[in-house]
Structure formats: structure tokens, C-alpha cells
Amino acid sequence: PLARLATVLIVPVVLIFSVVYDLGFALLAGLLSYTILDVTQRWYARVTRPLVSRWLAVATFVGAAAVAGWAAWTVIRGSLQAVPSMTGKALPRVIALAAMYGVELPFGNLEDLRAMVVEWVAHNAGRITVASTVLSQEFFRVLIAVFVAVIGFIAPNGGSYRPTLYDELRRDAADRIHRFMRSVERVLGAQVLISAINTVLTASFLLVMGFPYAPFLIPATFVLGLMPVVGNLASNTLIVATGLTESVHAAAISLAFLVIIHKG
């Protein structure tokens, strides 16, 4: 009972500590990394020895992390190339639709929009600098958390438990962490599966409709789909905007398709 009470108190302390010192994303990255390693190791353990399966899991994780980094960079680079072109083609139709329905826009053409963006950047230069610094720090914290997760996965699990208060505390903490990791595993697996299904359906739609920028939109749909709600909104906005570069009719069809697959 004492060990269980101690672990119940430790969990909120760790969460408060992570919030106070801005370690929330790092903690989440570490948990997700360890979960992926553990799931992969259990897959390999079905066909090979435990030690071999452990190192195969690490190798697979490193390879998957490299592929994920490449995919993220591809999306970022593609957005820097595709988004300006998409904006230039879609903006005239947006302005025409706004004039048709009597909606006043804060800009009248692409040059006005560029001037607004430049003015906003100049006005918020200090905040942008602070935000970029925070993102850089957060990136390195996440890298450290992932490294710690890999080391913790490779390290021995501590052996058997003795009938002492310390080992009772360790056993109860390990049990709670194990149950939490299983919950994270189910959530993570579901999100990856949902994103994969959404990407396959969206890719089929884009290719059948002959939408431009498909090599950018397809990986962007998967990467953004890993983020619940916000990621789907971002990818859907990109797809509808791409449809608008072709015609209002194409944008309406793409919007209807996205509503159907997300509500279905």
C-alpha cells in the first residue's frame, strides 16, 4: 500500500515538473519512442531470440526515424515551393467568389496579400525570433528524450524484485508504466492506421482527379494526419486550395470528398 501511494504521488509530480520546465513534448517523444521500440521488439521476438530482437528493434527504429525525418523535410521543402504557387493560382478565384457573395477581403490582389504578410512579419519580428528559439530548444530536448528512450530500452530491465520497500516501489511503478505504455500503444497505432487509410483514399482521389502538386500533397496528408484534428484541418485546407487552383467546381468536389471520408 505504501509503495502504491508513493507511485500515485510520483506521477503528478513528474507531470508538474515537465510542465514547469517545458518538457511536455520531450516527455511525450520519449514515451512514444519507447512504445515503438517495445512493440517492434515484441514483433521480432516471435521469430528470433530476445537479444537479437532487441537490437533489431533499435535498428528498425533508427531507420524509421530517418525515413520520418526525410518525409518531414520533404513536406517542408515541398510546401515552400508549392504553397506560393498554389496561392498565386487560387487567390484570383477567392477574390472573385468574395465579390460574388459580397464578402469584403482585407486584400484585393496578390501584391496586397504579400504586403500584408511582410507588414505582419515586421510587426511581429520579436515574437517570431523568440518562437524560433523556443522551437530550436524544443527540438534538441526531443532528440535527447528519444536518445534516453533508446538507451533505456537497450539497458537491462533491473532483474528480479526483492521483498524491500524500494523494490516494491519499483515493481508498482513498472506495472503502472507498463499499463500506460499499452494505452499509448493503442492510441498511437490507431492514429497511424487512420492516417494511413486517409492517405490511401486521398491519394487515389488526387490521382484520379489529376490534381497538381500530388507528390507534395500525398506525403503531407500522411505526415499531417499523424496530428489529430489540427493535422487533418491543415491537409484538408491544402487539398481544397489545390482544387481551387483548377476551378471552383474542383474545390467543391474535393471538399465534399474530404467531408465524406472523415464522416464515414
Side-chain angles (χ1 to χ4, degrees):
L2 183 59
R4 183 169 300 178
L5 176 62
T7 55
V8 169
L9 294 175
I10 287 173
V11 172
V13 169
V14 172
L15 293 177
I16 292 172
F17 180 85
S18 65
V19 171
V20 171
Y21 290 95
D22 297 325
L23 297 175
F25 284 110
L27 179 62
L28 181 61
L31 290 173
L32 293 179
S33 299
Y34 194 93
T35 299
I36 294 171
L37 286 164
D38 183 58
V39 171
T40 309
Q41 191 270 335
R42 282 189 276 119
W43 286 346
Y44 284 126
R46 299 172 183 174
V47 295
T48 186
R49 292 179 297 174
L51 182 60
V52 176
S53 65
R54 186 174 294 270
W55 284 104
L56 284 174
V58 173
T60 302
F61 176 79
V62 172
V67 172
W70 172 82
W73 169 246
T74 300
V75 171
I76 294 173
R77 184 180 60 183
S79 64
L80 294 176
Q81 297 173 349
V83 171
S85 176
M86 291 164 55
T87 303
K89 293 180 179 179
L91 191 61
R93 292 191 172 92
V94 172
I95 295 173
L97 285 173
M100 182 184 302
Y101 291 100
V103 178
E104 292 188 8
L105 297 176
F107 50 84
N109 50 50
L110 183 58
E111 292 302 322
D112 291 344
L113 179 60
R114 287 175 179 170
M116 286 179 57
V117 172
V118 171
E119 182 180 355
W120 182 87
V121 170
H123 187 263
N124 296 275
R127 295 179 182 178
I128 294 173
T129 302
V130 172
S132 62
T133 302
V134 172
L135 287 175
S136 299
Q137 294 174 348
E138 199 68 49
F139 175 74
F140 284 107
R141 288 172 183 168
V142 167
L143 283 182
I144 293 172
V146 172
F147 179 77
V148 170
V150 173
I151 296 300
F153 178 78
I154 296 174
N157 58 14
S160 60
Y161 297 101
R162 295 174 297 176
T164 63
L165 179 61
Y166 172 73
D167 275 21
E168 286 295 324
L169 175 63
R170 192 160 60 91
R171 186 207 302 272
D172 194 71
D175 181 62
R176 291 179 182 275
I177 293 173
H178 176 77
R179 285 183 287 172
F180 177 76
M181 298 299 282
R182 289 294 174 269
S183 300
V184 172
E185 176 185 332
R186 287 192 291 269
V187 173
L188 178 63
Q191 190 63 41
V192 172
L193 180 61
I194 291 171
S195 181
I197 294 174
N198 180 44
T199 301
V200 170
L201 295 174
T202 303
S204 302
F205 171 78
L206 294 175
L207 295 176
V208 169
M209 293 292 293
F211 271 34
Y213 311 109
F216 159 66
L217 292 173
I218 293 172
T221 299
F222 179 76
V223 173
L224 293 173
L226 296 176
M227 298 182 290
V229 183
V230 176
N232 284 331
L233 288 175
S235 62
N236 292 349
T237 301
L238 287 173
I239 293 169
V240 174
T242 303
L244 200 57
T245 63
E246 296 294 296
S247 67
V248 176
H249 183 67
I253 293 176
S254 62
L255 179 60
F257 169 79
L258 293 169
V259 169
I260 290 172
I261 65 171
H262 288 297
K263 293 296 183 180

